Amino acid sequence: MAMGFFCLALFLYLSLDPDSGYTSASAAAPSGKEGVQVSYGSAIKLMHEKTKFRLHSHDVPYGSGSGQQSVTGFPGVTDSNSYWIVKPVPGTKAKQGDAIKNGETIRLQHMKTRKWLHSHLHASPISGNLEVSCFGDDSNSDTGDHWKLTIEGSGKIWKQDQRVRLQHIDTSGYLHSHDKKYQRIAGGQQEVCGIREKRADNVWLAAEGVYLPVNESSK
């Protein structure tokens, strides 16, 4: 079992590293098949439904607000800085490979920098809404990294290409994006922020990625 996890981790590292020379995860995974279930441990890209930009981060801090690592919407499909590992919150019985049900609270860890998708009451740089950042590391995570998954429609288990919302537990803000774009720190990329109102601009879909097989007992 330990060797299997090691091999998976090595595969993820090589397939998501643009300098490794290996095939990208989006090409190697069954990401084009509608209905693939999202399980804990999967490395996925989240696509903003309205603009088709991917949730993205890189080792560039905000020049205002918290000064933490910035989170943006990225227009391209192949950039490896748009991969996020889906993980449970501490203290639950959820484990790698478990299916994720409607209403569960999850965390998203940025694959490249190992920081967590985070939010708080700082103002976002462009619109002045709730700032969304990346913060912490493998051993440092708090409730500011917790997001409630809500599936739009009648679905009970999170699947790829399914419309979902992510609501931040501490601030009640929905993960949100819009066509307001940065000019300097991330030219051409758009703002990602938190909005407390439920709007069309805070719907996301799991898109490209490495989807781990789902444990039968968790379905």
Side-chain angles (χ1 to χ4, degrees):
M1 182 68 71
M3 180 58 70
F5 288 158
F6 171 78
C7 291
L8 174 63
L10 181 62
F11 168 72
L12 287 173
Y13 172 77
L14 293 174
S15 60
L16 300 181
D17 187 344
D19 299 322
S20 67
Y22 284 74
T23 305
S24 69
S26 59
S31 58
K33 297 179 181 178
E34 186 174 341
V36 174
Q37 291 187 1
V38 182
S39 62
Y40 287 116
S42 295
I44 67 173
K45 292 184 179 181
L46 281 173
M47 182 182 73
H48 185 239
E49 183 185 47
K50 193 167 184 180
T51 64
K52 311 307 180 190
F53 279 45
R54 270 61 175 175
L55 184 69
H56 181 88
S57 188
H58 40 255
D59 193 12
V60 176
Y62 284 122
S64 61
S66 69
Q68 294 173 3
Q69 183 171 302
S70 56
V71 173
T72 62
F74 191 80
V77 175
T78 60
D79 195 290
S80 59
N81 281 305
S82 300
Y83 280 103
W84 303 83
I85 307 171
V86 187
K87 295 198 173 182
V89 298
T92 66
K93 294 181 179 179
K95 58 187 182 299
Q96 181 167 290
D98 280 355
I100 302 169
K101 299 178 177 64
N102 184 36
E104 284 192 26
T105 299
I106 66 171
R107 297 181 295 167
L108 292 170
Q109 186 176 35
H110 189 241
M111 173 68 83
K112 280 281 191 177
T113 64
R114 313 303 295 177
K115 296 180 185 294
W116 303 95
L117 186 70
H118 188 88
S119 191
H120 35 223
L121 297 178
H122 289 284
S124 62
I126 298 178
S127 63
N129 291 307
L130 298 167
E131 182 189 272
V132 173
S133 64
C134 270
F135 185 68
D137 53 39
D138 286 319
S139 58
N140 181 17
S141 176
D142 59 28
T143 58
D145 310 326
H146 294 186
W147 299 82
K148 179 182 177 181
L149 174 82
T150 301
I151 298 170
E152 294 292 293
S154 59
K156 296 181 179 179
I157 302 291
W158 190 13
K159 297 179 181 180
Q160 186 192 32
D161 299 327
Q162 199 168 38
R163 301 173 72 247
V164 301
R165 297 179 195 270
L166 290 167
Q167 187 175 23
H168 190 244
I169 295 298
D170 284 357
T171 65
S172 299
Y174 290 97
L175 186 67
H176 182 92
S177 193
H178 40 214
D179 59 4
K180 295 179 172 62
K181 294 183 173 59
Y182 291 99
Q183 301 300 319
R184 289 180 291 179
I185 66 165
Q189 296 177 41
Q190 67 191 27
E191 184 184 55
V192 170
C193 58
I195 295 281
R196 290 194 174 98
E197 298 81 21
K198 186 182 288 189
R199 299 182 186 176
D201 281 341
N202 41 55
V203 174
W204 301 79
L205 301 90
E208 304 81 15
V210 175
Y211 289 79
L212 297 189
V214 175
N215 298 327
E216 290 297 322
S217 60
S218 70
K219 291 183 179 179

